[in-house]
Amino acid sequence: MITTSNFAKSAKHPQALAISQGVPRFYRGKRYMPLAPPRWLLKARDPELFDREYRKQLESLDAKQVAEELGPDAILLCWESFNVRCHRRLVAEWLEEKLGSCRAGTGPRTCRVDSLQTNSRRSGTPSPLRRNCR
């Protein structure tokens, strides 16, 4: 199952993949640049502009190929502590939309993209890519 986390929690995990332009100095893991937002977009102050332009970037990719290249147990990393207003949220929505991979989770909130980090904070494990599964 593809999951999300951040550098502070999961950088040393063997399945970690950075999907950001920059990485912390201590990070020695793999990177997957096709999912990294371009630097110019990171400077955007308008969240709607960011979402719109990043979705265009995702639409230029083949979701099935991306999922295969990431691997079934990938942990997607970036800097943000929470998935709210983070591009990991958009990746989760995009993969679910394109691949229809929403499955029931183990907890009452694991299916909400905007609460993924809330779950992982309690368990200390990366958060599943889940959204609106019931």
Side-chain angles (χ1 to χ4, degrees):
M1 173 182 355
I2 296 173
T3 57
T4 67
S5 189
N6 58 47
F7 291 113
K9 287 192 173 294
S10 301
K12 295 184 190 238
H13 194 284
Q15 298 298 325
L17 284 157
I19 60 168
S20 57
Q21 287 293 332
V23 296
R25 289 184 183 144
F26 65 85
Y27 183 71
R28 301 288 180 251
K30 297 176 241 170
R31 298 177 79 179
Y32 191 78
M33 296 309 289
L35 294 179
R39 290 191 189 279
W40 71 266
L41 189 54
L42 294 172
K43 296 176 184 176
R45 297 199 187 277
D46 180 358
E48 290 179 17
L49 171 69
F50 181 92
D51 287 2
R52 184 174 57 249
E53 293 301 317
Y54 188 66
R55 282 189 176 104
K56 286 181 188 176
Q57 177 178 331
L58 293 175
E59 289 303 320
S60 73
L61 303 171
D62 178 306
K64 185 176 181 185
Q65 179 181 351
V66 168
E68 288 173 4
E69 291 174 357
L70 294 174
D73 299 320
I75 301 170
L76 307 182
L77 303 180
C78 77
W79 296 86
E80 302 301 325
S81 295
F82 298 96
N83 272 350
V84 176
R85 304 280 7 126
C86 174
H87 72 290
R88 292 177 306 209
R89 169 184 56 84
L90 299 175
V91 172
E93 292 172 354
W94 175 71
L95 286 172
E96 180 186 10
E97 174 188 322
K98 298 297 181 184
L99 303 177
S101 60
C102 190
R103 296 182 206 94
T106 57
R109 299 182 67 169
T110 53
C111 291
R112 292 193 44 81
V113 168
D114 61 356
S115 65
L116 291 176
Q117 291 301 324
T118 302
N119 288 338
S120 68
R121 248 186 293 167
R122 280 188 226 122
S123 66
T125 60
S127 306
L129 288 181
R130 305 254 192 251
R131 184 176 69 86
N132 297 328
C133 304
R134 295 185 206 269

